[in-house]
Amino acid sequence: MQSWPAPAVPQLPSGERPVLRVFDSSAQGLVDVVPQGGTARMYVCGITPYDATHLGHAATYLAFDTLGRVWRDQGLEVLFVQNVTDIDDPLLERAERDGEDWVALAERETDLFREDMTALRVLPPDHYVGAVEAMDEIARLVVRLREAGAAYELDGDVYFPIAVAPHFGEVSRLDRATMTALFRERGGDPDRPGKKDPLDALLWQAARPGEPSWESPLGTGRPGWHVECAAIALGRLGETMDVQGGGSDLLFPHHEHSAIEAEAATGVWPFARAYVHAGMVGLDGEKMSKSRGNLVFVSRLRAEGVDPAALRLALLADHYRADREWTQAQLDAGTSRLAAWRAAVARPAGPSGQALLAAVRRALSADLDTTAALAAVDAWAAGAGTDTAAPGLVRDTVDALLGVSLSSTDR
């Protein structure tokens, strides 16, 4: 699957680059993220393309874009993989509701997502992989699990038994009652009769009448959700990655199950050295989601003339792990901040650019604290100084680390 074009990233001068620390959901605390061998490996779960990119999506992908930018500034190569769940029940349900071909729906919304990510200057993944194009490798992983005794059949469907997973629960750290409730809420089937355990997850679903299906050694059907990401990640990042990321609603069951399924196939734990999760964006007191219909779409804001750089600043103003409410005031603040920064870098001189660069690096290394980073740039923009090199260095710093272009040609 085609990714989107990469924006140019300025090379920043050398200087102290603190060790990156992020909040690991599994450790339930901050951990150092120090990739080995000069390459940082990251998997960020992608969209199910049955609707346009909303601000909850955008906030999540901006968080991991920031993480990737910090790694690159540290001189690391970044191997970044993202999937597209371009076959799943919500997609089929939306296509049937609207009387549209599900393939056409998925392609249209994936194209719109690419446009939104391009406008927001999100660095693209090295591998952007749809479930449909990865069908054979997903099926092979399920076969591998079956051969390892980590799968069983139920009325033609294939399930993963959590009883074979010694580390089950170590990603989310949730109690069983909470797991069961979230499993039911987020696409699981804990009440299906015949399962060995209510929390066993679907690996392969046998073909259903009127639904798309694919031939495989498992019979005709299509994969479950969690094994999709496990297979795509294993095939491109290896048995262990540095960060697996996504919204906090993916912690359980999705990241929990993809991790134990990968372990059952490879014998390697952990699947990720850090599990990093972004907070939810709400509107009118509720999480922004397609099921609630309370969405603010990136494409719609762009069509209304909102500068994507202002939108990016509005979303970076809160810490990535914080649940937050979206308001017009946030967008207004992002717009005002962008104007102030652009005016500041147009001056012939300013306060020390090296000091500002160091402050932004410190902030972002401390669990991607964009709130502190933005405040540092605000202080620089409001100050006075004689450093004639500062405006150019600040322009490059904001571009490289925060993904915001302050160039007049990008307005």
Side-chain angles (χ1 to χ4, degrees):
M1 180 173 285
Q2 183 180 2
S3 190
W4 55 90
V9 178
Q11 184 74 35
L12 297 176
S14 59
E16 183 183 359
R17 293 172 173 84
V19 172
L20 174 62
R21 290 174 62 78
V22 296
F23 188 91
D24 174 14
S25 298
S26 177
Q28 297 188 315
L30 294 174
V31 299
D32 292 349
V33 181
V34 184
Q36 304 300 308
T39 298
R41 292 171 169 80
M42 177 168 64
Y43 186 97
V44 179
C45 295
I47 60 168
T48 301
Y50 62 94
D51 214 335
T53 315
H54 60 70
L55 294 186
H57 291 138
T60 293
Y61 298 124
L62 289 181
F64 294 101
D65 184 57
T66 304
L67 194 158
R69 288 171 180 271
V70 171
W71 271 337
R72 288 174 172 87
D73 181 51
Q74 293 177 340
L76 294 165
E77 295 292 326
V78 179
L79 182 56
F80 172 27
V81 180
Q82 188 170 98
N83 72 307
V84 181
T85 304
D86 53 357
I87 178 64
D88 200 10
D89 289 340
L91 175 65
L92 299 178
E93 291 164 3
R94 180 63 57 87
E96 182 177 5
R97 187 200 74 178
D98 295 346
E100 184 173 6
D101 177 72
W102 67 272
V103 175
L105 172 61
E107 289 179 348
R108 185 182 72 245
E109 297 303 338
T110 302
D111 285 344
L112 184 54
F113 177 78
R114 291 189 190 97
E115 292 173 8
D116 289 337
M117 293 300 100
T118 301
L120 289 171
R121 303 183 82 245
V122 172
L123 299 175
D126 299 281
H127 300 280
Y128 193 48
V129 187
V132 170
E133 66 182 305
M135 198 62 64
D136 289 345
E137 62 187 289
I138 299 169
R140 286 195 298 270
L141 179 57
V142 178
V143 170
R144 187 175 172 184
L145 290 169
R146 186 173 63 180
E147 291 173 346
Y152 66 92
E153 291 194 12
L154 176 60
D155 299 330
D157 297 336
V158 182
Y159 278 85
F160 180 88
I162 62 170
V164 306
H167 297 286
F168 179 70
E170 292 185 12
V171 173
S172 64
R173 303 292 177 177
L174 299 172
D175 61 75
R176 188 175 176 90
T178 302
M179 286 182 180
T180 302
L182 291 175
F183 197 57
R184 183 178 292 112
E185 175 187 329
R186 296 173 179 172
D189 55 358
D191 305 312
R192 180 174 180 176
K195 291 176 63 175
K196 293 182 177 181
D197 189 292
L199 295 178
D200 291 348
L202 183 69
L203 293 171
W204 188 263
Q205 177 179 289
R208 305 292 200 260
E211 294 187 359
S213 58
W214 288 262
E215 294 291 336
S216 82
L218 304 153
T220 306
R222 58 185 171 96
W225 177 28
H226 317 308
V227 73
E228 168 197 336
C229 284
I232 291 171
L234 286 171
R236 291 154 187 84
L237 296 173
E239 295 175 340
T240 299
M241 69 188 85
D242 294 292
V243 166
Q244 182 171 30
S248 59
D249 55 346
L250 298 183
L251 175 58
F252 190 90
H254 186 51
H255 288 168
E256 188 81 61
H257 274 280
S258 62
I260 60 173
E261 289 166 10
E263 181 199 13
T266 65
V268 175
W269 186 264
F271 185 41
R273 296 185 179 93
Y275 297 90
V276 182
H277 294 95
M280 297 290 100
V281 178
L283 182 69
D284 300 326
E286 291 188 314
K287 167 193 165 186
M288 200 176 291
S289 68
K290 296 171 185 177
S291 61
R292 290 188 173 95
N294 60 342
L295 302 179
V296 178
F297 295 116
V298 173
S299 55
R300 196 165 297 164
L301 291 174
R302 291 196 293 116
E304 292 171 358
V306 171
D307 189 325
L311 179 55
R312 183 163 179 135
L313 285 174
L315 291 170
L316 291 177
D318 290 297
H319 192 275
Y320 79 95
R321 285 196 287 116
D323 293 336
R324 82 290 297 263
E325 288 286 311
W326 177 254
T327 65
Q328 181 62 40
Q330 287 177 299
L331 182 57
D332 292 343
T335 301
S336 297
R337 175 173 266 147
L338 179 64
W341 289 9
R342 284 178 169 164
V345 298
R347 299 179 307 197
S352 170
Q354 289 286 351
L356 184 278
L357 171 59
V360 172
R361 281 174 168 161
R362 284 195 302 271
L364 296 183
S365 69
D367 197 24
L368 307 177
D369 191 349
T370 55
T371 302
L374 268 59
V377 183
D378 286 341
W380 181 89
T386 58
D387 182 355
T388 58
L393 179 54
V394 172
R395 184 184 298 112
D396 286 350
T397 297
V398 169
D399 191 338
L401 292 174
L402 297 173
V404 175
S405 174
L406 299 181
S407 171
S408 60
T409 60
D410 290 326
R411 297 188 189 190

